Amino acid sequence: MYLWIVFFLFFIDIISKIIAEKKLKFHPKSILDGAIHFYYVRNFGIAFNKLSHKKWLILTLNFVLLIYITSLYTAPNINKIGLSLVLAGGLGNTLNRLFRGYVIDFIYFNIKGSPVFNMADFYILSGIIVILIEEIIII
């Protein structure tokens, strides 16, 4: 069941990036009186554009982490929903890096210091939060 979650979220991420590239590249959008902006950004790094233009280092790190995360599915006490979110996001961003050399980001909250992100980033953050909350509650 959990792999269906991964594939569904992965599909949504890929489709959202394709739409962002086609619709937002030259025509950014704002909603909620400018509180949220949608515009096309090429992110050549990871996490706030760190390691920019180090594609092979980033891809190597991504593959190692994806293999490790996948291996955790056999762990008895791991939150499979949180893990599925992290895996779907990791796969979405890794695929972008592998075939494009960058990740497409397009969502921005109009808050000083806020990064531009994508659905995969949201999945990864949400999955980590789910896993951490479960760990805190279990302790």
Side-chain angles (χ1 to χ4, degrees), residues 14-74:
I14 296 303
I15 295 299
S16 70
K17 289 173 181 171
I18 290 169
I19 292 169
E21 184 174 42
K22 292 190 183 309
K23 300 283 186 181
L24 301 174
K25 199 168 193 178
F26 302 109
H27 305 288
K29 307 273 188 238
S30 293
I31 61 171
L32 301 174
D33 291 327
I36 302 173
H37 299 276
F38 298 98
Y39 59 92
Y40 176 84
V41 175
R42 292 180 176 182
N43 182 350
F44 290 91
I46 56 174
F48 302 99
N49 218 14
K50 302 290 188 239
L51 299 176
S52 189
H53 299 287
K54 306 263 192 242
K55 177 183 174 183
W56 294 109
L57 174 61
I58 294 169
L59 280 172
T60 302
L61 290 170
N62 284 166
F63 283 120
V64 168
L65 288 170
L66 287 173
I67 290 167
Y68 174 69
I69 290 166
T70 303
S71 74
L72 291 176
Y73 268 100
T74 59

Side-chain angles (χ1 to χ4, degrees), residues 71-134:
S71 74
L72 291 176
Y73 268 100
T74 59
N77 296 327
I78 192 78
N79 185 303
K80 302 285 194 286
I81 300 239
L83 201 59
S84 296
L85 286 162
V86 173
L87 187 57
L91 286 171
N93 281 343
T94 299
L95 185 75
N96 255 191
R97 281 191 190 93
L98 185 62
F99 291 107
R100 295 177 179 265
Y102 57 87
V103 171
I104 296 172
D105 288 333
F106 59 93
I107 305 166
Y108 173 74
F109 290 105
N110 196 9
I111 301 169
K112 186 176 179 170
S114 175
V116 180
F117 62 98
N118 58 43
M119 294 303 296
D121 298 333
F122 176 74
Y123 300 156
I124 292 167
L125 179 61
S126 299
I128 290 169
I129 290 169
V130 166
I131 292 168
L132 288 174
I133 288 172
E134 182 185 51

